[in-house]
Each structure stands twice: as C-alpha cells, then as structure tokens.
C-alpha cells in the first residue's frame, strides 16, 4: 500500500468519526428532529469496502452507514442538510437520516424495513449482468436483518443467477437489544452462504486491513463473473441502536473490550509502526475533518426548512392535480 | 383489426413493447419456458431469450425487489405475480420500497415498474385465487392502479403502463381472460392512463365500475332498458389517478349513482367513489349513492356465484336508486 493511500484511509476513518460525533452532539442539543443511528465503532467496515469500489458501482447502505455515503462521494454539506431535514438534503426534507440516497454517486437510500434492500441490490446486479456492465452492487445489512425472508430471497436469486453482488453483513452483535443468540443458532451467519451456492467469508470488521482484504476478494469475484459473496464483518457499535437508546442490555465491560479494539486507533498504531509522524498526521487530519464538518453544519443550518406544499412534490413524475 | 381475447391482447402488448424497447424485461414464476399459468407470456421466452423473460424462484418479495433494482438503473421490468392473492408476501416491497421510491429520494430514484397480477373471482379459485386487492394499492400514495375490462384496453393500457415513469399495479380480471373477446388495433396502440371510458350512454342512472364488473353492468343496463330505464356505464379503467371528472359528468347528468365492484364492501374502492360523488355532486343527487359489491367475508369457494355481484343484484340497485 502506498503512503498516500494509507493516509487517505486514515482521513476517511477520522472524517466519519468526526461526523458521527458531531451528529450525536447536535442531537443532544435538540438540533436534529428525527432518529440518529450512530455507526461509531464500525468505521473500518464502510471505509474498507467503499474504498475498493469504482464510482459507477452501486452501494446499498444500511441505516448506520453514514460513512459509506462519505467514502462513496456524497457531498458532506448535503449529507448534513439531509440529516437536518432541510431543503438541500438528498430527500429535500421528505424523509429522515440516510433514506434519501444519492443517485449521482450510486448510493441507494434504504427504507426502515431493514433487509428489504437486498433484493433491490440483487435486481441492480442483474441489470449489470445482462447488460455485460463491469459493475458490482454492495448490499449492506445487519445480522438482525439476516433473519428476514427477503434477505433469504435475495441471496437465493443471486445464487441462481450468479449475480455480481456482495452481501455485506455488519454483525455488531445486537439488533437493537436482541443479542445474536436470540437471532440465529450459528456462530457465523455467513455459514448460510453455502445454502445459496456461493462463498461465505468472515473478517474482523474493526481491522481495516482485514476488511479490505476480504472485500477486495469478494468484489473481484463479482467482477470476474464468479457470483456473490456473503461477507460477514464482526464489529460493534459504541452507541445504542439510536441516540435515545441507553443500551442497558449490554455490559460496560463488553463495551470497553470493543473500545480497546477501536478501528481508528488501530490504524493509528499501524501508521506509527510504519514510522510516520503520527502526531503530525493526527493534528493535520484532525483540523481538516473538523473544518469539513463545521462547514457542513453551517451549510445545513443555512439551508431552508421545507414548506408545507413541498410535501406534495415528487410523488409521481407528473404531479396529480385535484380535478 | 384482429379479434382477440383479453389474454391474447396482454400477450400482444408485452411482445410489441419488448420488440420496440430493449429495456423491457419480464420476470415472474413460470413465465419463461412454460409461458405463464394463464399463458400471458406464451412464446416470449423463445422470442426474447431467458435474460429478458426471467423465470424466478417462488419468492414474491424477491421478485418485486429485483424488479425495483432493475428499474433503478435503466431497465423497465414487468413483474408477473401469478395471482393477485400472492402479492401480499411482497406488500412491503410495494408499499415501503416502490411506492415511496421517488418520494423519499426527492425525485432522484426512478421506479418504472409494472406489476401484472390476475385479479378477482369467477374461476372457482376459492379464497386464495380470487381476491381483489385494488383498494390497498389505491390507498398507497405513489402507485398507479389500472384494471382493464376489454381486450383493446388490455393492450392499450398495458402499453401505457410500460411507458409510465411511475410504478403501475396492473390488475387483470382473470374471469375475462378468455371470455372477453373483441377487436384490438394491430401494431403500436396505447390507451392513456387516468382516463375513464363511457361504455354506454344513458340518462337515468349512472353505474360506475371497472374490470370484470363491466360486462355485469352491461347486462343490467340491457335488462333495465326493457323496463324503460336508461343506464349510463362508466368503466374507470384506471382507478388511480382517478378520472373524477368523468364520474362528475355522468352523475351530474343522471342524478343517480350505483358503484359496482367485486371486492369487499367496507373500505372498498366504492366507498371512495361514493364519497367523491356526494362531495362533488351533492346538489345533483336524487338518491343516495348505492353500492353493489362482494361481501365483507373472505372469498367463499363454493358460494362464488352468490358472492360476486351479478345482473340481478345490479338491477336491484338501479331500481333502488330510481324509487328512493
């Protein structure tokens, strides 16, 4: 890996962390009206996967993958405006948080029905396949969503048609409060891949190297026409399901255990071992990401609040008028 | 013009549009090599190949999710749900994904998906092969809901659906698949969405209906004529967006309205029609709006003939609004 790439990856990890932390603060200050679903602690997953993609590959992030938007190219200003529910957000105030998607950067905006995007990702991959396009689709989902029927249906379709799709499971051990032992009776949910006729793989989602290696393999397999991969990244969210969830269903010791495997700090250790001036890098990147997030907040706060009649827009291609 | 059945007209619409537009892709259970359980896609797999006529596993949510994903990037998928009754496993994909696709992305995501589904009773199909689910979809903002009653409309409306930028639920009255025969214009032919059709002009009573109930209304109108009563029949063809002006025109002319559909009564589409009539034409009305519908029960297998509105029940309603 080149030094430039190593530094770039660090920038993305830090930008996401800064963005996530700021949103949590803004939420506490009452500046965000809807739910905030922090992905703090899971940054290495989205960086490791999205950094391996091309601009015309599609990603289907889940509700906690704010970082995937950023790495895939979404404008931080518009992303913040989206989170504020303002007119310059991707959905112009029509829906909250990450639901708007960003078509121009090939980022899908998911619904709240977690897992329902997987067949959509498979359909997109089908189009890539029959049009012989050298593109892949990445469907993110949580281990909780893996229990849903449409996740199964999507994987079954993808297996039959050998679609260029990666099913990327962020296994963070809790679906809201539900622990894995009440979600499935296996250790690795990616074991299911064999039942769909494709490969399953497990990696450490808190270790950027591990994610990148596994993601690259899965993406190359998809591009080569060898079909889907079920890639499971074991990781952990530091916050509750959403900011109002105090997550009393898990122990402090467990949280600390995972904080000691922090993906951002791990990368700093790596950079340090590479004999870079980590103190200088930390300061330089810290200043850069703070400015980006400051600017994004200023942009979002200045963006207009949508007016009532705008609720009638974008429902049909041609607006329906009352007769 | 060729004389066709409704199912032949559906097949002709699919074939013609696939020929003209390489973006059109079909998917569904048993639609490929087999040609569909009602033969709607007969010959298309051979003609257009398995990539464009995709046989899917038995998985309705997967089928519709796949269709949405195809539409996201430039294809025009036409998904077949084998029976409208089987659409419920895919309800989340329709209501949460598809209907809100454009809206939640503020116009970024296009969703030109057509969902074809044989709908309604009359083939002795029992509870799970006879239902009329149109009201669920009309109730869901973001969808267009269509139901043809003639072969010509079957072809023309389906072609328009395949050209619509918005998702279309295209419900085909399966009782008419082979019983409805009529002249169908050859070649490229479309019928605009959102426009009702006056099947029969009349002056005394307006019957507002759609789908398999159109021929029932025609039977009742013929009987009424023998009694000296002139019935006007409006076939809505598209339930949403509704051609409410056509309803206004007819009801304001006759002053009496009967709404007729085979779906259950409570919160059925007829309830919406009756409300619109009283809101918009109250001072023209000479009698309350009358509803002729299926019962508020599951679709009863051996009692199908009793459940489905027929000429006698429709005629009773026509007489009822006349003698109010």
């Amino acid at each position: 890996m080149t030094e430039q790439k190593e530094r770039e990856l660090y920038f993305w990890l830090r930008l996401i962390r800064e963005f996530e932390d700021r949103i949590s603060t803004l939420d506490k200050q009452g500046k965000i009206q809807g739910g905030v679903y922090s992905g703090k602690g899971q940054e290495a997953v989205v960086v490791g996967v999205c950094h391996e993609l091309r601009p015309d590959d599609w990603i289907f992030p889940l509700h906690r993958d704010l970082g995937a938007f950023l790495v895939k190219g979404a404008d931080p200003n518009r992303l913040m405006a989206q989170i504020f529910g303002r007119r310059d957000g991707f959905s112009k105030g029509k829906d909250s948080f990450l639901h708007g998607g960003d078509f121009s950067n090939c980022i899908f905006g998911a619904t709240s029905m977690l897992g329902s995007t997987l067949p959509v990702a498979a359909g997109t991959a089908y189009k890539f396949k029959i049009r012989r396009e050298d593109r892949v689709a990445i469907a993110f989902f949580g281990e909780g969503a893996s229990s849903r029927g449409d996740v199964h249906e999507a994987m079954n379709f993808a297996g039959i048609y050998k679609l260029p799709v990666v099913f990327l499971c962020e296994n963070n051990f809790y679906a809201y409060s539900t622990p894995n032992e009440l979600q499935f009776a296996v250790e690795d949910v990616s074991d299911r891949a064999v039942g769909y006729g494709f490969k399953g793989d497990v990696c450490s989602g808190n270790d950027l190297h591990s994610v990148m290696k596994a993601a690259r393999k899965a993406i190359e397999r998809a591009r080569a026409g060898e079909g889907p991969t079920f890639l499971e990244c074991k990781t952990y969210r530091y916050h509750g399901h959403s900011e109002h969830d105090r997550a009393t269903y898990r122990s402090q010791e467990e949280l600390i255990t995972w904080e000691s495997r922090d993906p951002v700090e791990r990368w700093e250790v790596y950079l340090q071992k590479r004999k870079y001036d980590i103190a200088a890098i930390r300061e330089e990147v810290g200043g850069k990401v703070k400015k980006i997030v400051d600017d994004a907040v200023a942009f979002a706060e200045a963006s207009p609040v949508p007016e009532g009649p705008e609720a009638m827009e974008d429902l049909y291609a041609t607006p329906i008028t009352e007769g | 013009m060729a004389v066709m059945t409704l199912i032949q007209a559906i097949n002709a619409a699919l074939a013609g549009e696939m020929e003209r537009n390489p973006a059109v892709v079909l998917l569904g259970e048993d639609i490929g090599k087999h040609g569909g359980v009602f033969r709607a896609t007969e010959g298309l797999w051979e003609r257009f190949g398995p990539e464009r006529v995709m046989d899917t596993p038995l998985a309705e949510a997967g089928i519709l999710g796949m269709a949405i994903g195809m539409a996201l990037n430039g294809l025009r998928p036409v998904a077949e749900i084998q029976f409208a009754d089987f659409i419920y496993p895919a309800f989340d994909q329709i209501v949460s994904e598809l209907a809100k696709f454009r809206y939640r992305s503020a116009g970024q995501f296009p969703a030109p998906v057509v969902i074809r589904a044989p709908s309604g009773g009359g083939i002795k199909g029992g509870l799970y092969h006879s239902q009329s689910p149109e009201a669920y979809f009309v109730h869901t903002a973001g969808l267009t809901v269509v139901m043809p009653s003639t072969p010509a409309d079957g072809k023309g409306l389906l072609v328009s659906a395949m050209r619509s930028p918005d998702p279309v639920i295209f419900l085909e009255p399966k009782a008419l698949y082979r019983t409805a025969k009529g002249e169908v214009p050859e070649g490229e032919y479309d019928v605009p969405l959102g426009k009702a059709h006056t099947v029969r002009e009349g002056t005394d009573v307006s019957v507002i209906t759609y789908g398999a109930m159109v021929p029932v209304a025609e039977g009742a109108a013929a009987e009424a004529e023998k009694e000296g009563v002139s019935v006007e029949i409006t076939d809505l063809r598209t339930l949403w967006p509704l051609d409410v002006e056509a309803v206004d025109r007819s009801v304001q002319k006759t002053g009496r309205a009967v709404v007729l559909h085979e779906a259950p009564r409570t919160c059925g589409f007829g309830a919406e029609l009756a409300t619109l009539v009283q809101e918009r034409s109250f001072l023209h009305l000479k009698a309350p709006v009358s509803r002729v519908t299926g019962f508020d029960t599951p679709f009863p297998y051996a009692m199908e003939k009793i459940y489905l509105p027929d000429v006698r029940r429709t005629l009773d309603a026509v007489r009822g609004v006349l003698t109010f």
Side-chain angles (χ1 to χ4, degrees), chain B residues 177-253:
Chain B
Y177 267 156
R178 289 182 170 75
T179 57
K181 285 197 186 82
E183 292 199 329
V184 178
E186 282 168 65
E188 203 169 337
Y189 173 67
D190 66 279
V191 171
L193 302 177
K195 289 279 168 244
H197 171 62
T198 305
V199 177
R200 179 188 171 113
E201 304 257 358
T203 51
D204 299 328
V205 178
S206 298
V207 176
I208 317 294
T209 189
Y210 52 91
M213 291 297 106
V214 173
V216 173
E218 288 178 287
E223 289 299 312
E225 196 172 22
K226 292 178 194 163
E227 298 172 13
V229 176
S230 167
V231 172
E232 177 154 300
I233 301 169
T234 302
D235 176 2
L236 295 173
R237 304 196 291 192
T238 302
L239 307 192
W240 198 261
L242 177 69
D243 188 354
V244 71
E245 285 94 350
V247 177
D248 293 348
R249 266 196 312 277
S250 182
V251 175
Q252 289 171 13
K253 179 167 77 173

Side-chain angles (χ1 to χ4, degrees), chain A residues 58 60 78 82 89-92 94-95 99-104 107-111 113 115-133 135 148 150 153-154 156-158 160-161 163 310-318 320 322-323, chain B residues 22-27 50-75 89 92-93 96-97 99 101-110 140-144 165-167 240-241 244-245 248 276 279-280:
Chain A
W58 267 84
F60 297 74
R78 290 198 67 199
Q82 168 69 17
F90 297 114
S91 63
K92 300 183 185 167
K94 296 213 178 59
D95 203 1
H99 293 181
D102 178 8
F103 192 87
S104 61
I107 304 168
F108 189 71
T111 74
M113 270 47 71
S116 79
T117 52
L118 268 72
V120 180
T124 296
Y126 183 79
K127 190 261 179 175
F128 296 162
K129 185 181 164 104
I130 68 167
R131 289 300 163 90
R132 318 288 183 258
E133 292 172 4
R135 302 164 82 180
R148 283 192 40 147
D150 37 14
E153 292 185 22
N156 189 42
F157 266 91
I160 293 166
Y161 286 94
L163 300 178
E310 291 172 48
M312 304 306 288
E313 293 172 4
D314 297 315
L315 185 55
Y316 293 88
T318 313
I320 291 181
E322 184 109 357
Chain B
V24 175
V25 173
L26 314 185
L27 69 161
E51 285 185 345
R52 290 185 68 197
V53 186
M54 178 189 189
D55 270 318
T56 68
L58 198 165
E60 286 79 12
I63 292 169
L64 292 193
M66 288 281 290
I68 296 164
M70 293 178 192
L72 180 64
N73 262 286
L75 295 182
D92 180 45
Q93 287 292 338
S96 305
E97 267 313 338
F101 214 52
R102 182 182 295 281
Y103 192 75
R104 74 175 189 266
S105 68
Q108 295 181 83
F109 294 156
T140 302
L143 301 172
T144 297
D166 295 311
W240 198 261
V244 71
E245 285 94 350
D248 293 348
L276 286 167
E279 279 175 351
R280 300 166 66 94

Side-chain angles (χ1 to χ4, degrees), chain A residues 228-239:
Chain A
T229 305
F230 188 143
L231 175 54
E232 177 179 0
C233 304
K234 310 262 194 198
T235 185
Y236 199 80
R237 61 167 149 82
Y238 294 166
H239 291 204

Side-chain angles (χ1 to χ4, degrees), chain A residues 26-65:
Chain A
L26 290 163
D27 183 65
K28 286 192 186 74
Q29 293 168 345
K31 293 201 173 171
I32 297 169
Q33 53 175 342
V36 168
Y37 306 89
S38 173
K40 187 174 180 179
Q42 304 186 192
E43 293 91 341
V45 177
V46 289
V47 173
V49 175
C50 295
H51 206 266
E52 296 300 313
L53 296 173
R54 300 173 187 163
D56 67 345
D57 292 329
W58 267 84
I59 60 167
F60 297 74
L62 58 83
H63 60 297
R64 212 174 289 293
D65 292 336

Side-chain angles (χ1 to χ4, degrees), chain B residues 115-132:
Chain B
I115 302 168
R116 295 181 39 247
S119 174
I123 61 153
K124 302 183 174 59
L127 269 76
Y128 303 111
H129 294 73
S130 307
Q131 295 171 76
S132 298

Side-chain angles (χ1 to χ4, degrees), chain A residues 27 35-38 64 174-178 237-250:
Chain A
D27 183 65
V36 168
Y37 306 89
S38 173
R64 212 174 289 293
Y174 293 91
Y176 210 137
S177 74
T178 306
R237 61 167 149 82
Y238 294 166
H239 291 204
H241 165 68
S242 64
E243 292 298 272
H244 59 260
D245 168 26
R246 284 179 294 131
T248 50
Y249 40 82
R250 60 189 194 183

